[in-house]
Amino acid sequence: MADALLCGLAPVVGPGTQVLILGSFPGVQSLQLQQYYAHPRNHMWPLLAALWHEHPQPSGYADRCAWLLERGLGLWDVYAACEREGSLDTSIRNAQLNDFVALQQQCPQLVAAAHNGGESFRHAAKVQAVLGLPSYRLPSSSPANASWSFERKLAGWREVMQQAGLLR
């Protein structure tokens, strides 16, 4: 029996989005809550809080998204839909890519895509070809990337955000 087709989340972007953080596809908990990076052990939100520590990150999801947009960031995934059991990228089947042409029209200041993990980065060339922008590979913020310490992930994320011009 095939897994049911799962649909991803809408992008969190705005006209001021400069760097688009691209995951692969939301995990089970993120889909249930309709919130990016909802798993409590995912480091994405804590990584961003550490990078912009002088601007405390709110606790509510809507406020966090507004905070993210104020930093010039956006969130989306490379896949619009897929079949998958569980949350692991290795379980993704029959994936459909998101429409990056339409997204670019919503983000006129976009300067780079930052791929959160290897599965997203597998599509960096396609995304780069559509957007005409550099693509960076971020260390995965997923709890499945347990071999990387928070500090090591933070150093990788800091380097990418500096290269993209969002941090000095």
Side-chain angles (χ1 to χ4, degrees), residues 12-14 17 45 56-58 60-75:
V12 176
V13 295
T17 298
W45 291 108
Q57 190 181 88
Y61 182 71
D63 291 336
R64 277 186 177 181
C65 289
W67 178 92
L68 174 116
L69 292 170
E70 289 170 5
R71 312 275 89 69
L73 297 168
L75 293 175

Side-chain angles (χ1 to χ4, degrees), residues 82-100:
C82 69
E83 295 171 2
R84 184 191 64 204
E85 187 174 331
S87 293
L88 294 178
D89 285 348
T90 54
S91 299
I92 292 174
R93 303 284 179 266
N94 301 317
Q96 303 165 13
L97 290 177
N98 264 315
D99 184 353
F100 291 99

Side-chain angles (χ1 to χ4, degrees), residues 6 13 18 23 36 41-42 52 64 67 73 79 82-83 85 103 109 114 116 126 130 136 140 149 153 164:
L6 302 171
V13 295
Q18 297 170 52
Y36 282 100
R41 289 193 351 247
N42 191 296
W52 283 277
R64 277 186 177 181
W67 178 92
L73 297 168
Y79 300 134
C82 69
E83 295 171 2
E85 187 174 331
L103 179 88
Q109 296 184 39
N116 186 0
K126 292 176 194 167
V130 171
Y136 300 100
S140 174
S149 68
K153 291 177 187 180

Side-chain angles (χ1 to χ4, degrees), residues 17-20 100 103-104 107-115 124-136:
T17 298
Q18 297 170 52
V19 174
L20 181 63
F100 291 99
L103 179 88
Q104 193 170 28
C107 306
Q109 296 184 39
L110 196 60
V111 297
H115 294 269
K126 292 176 194 167
V127 173
Q128 193 167 356
V130 171
L131 297 178
L133 302 170
S135 285
Y136 300 100

Side-chain angles (χ1 to χ4, degrees), residues 29 37-43 46 143:
Q29 197 161 11
Y37 302 98
H39 193 288
R41 289 193 351 247
N42 191 296
H43 285 150

Side-chain angles (χ1 to χ4, degrees), residues 3-4 49 161:
D3 293 327
M161 295 305 163

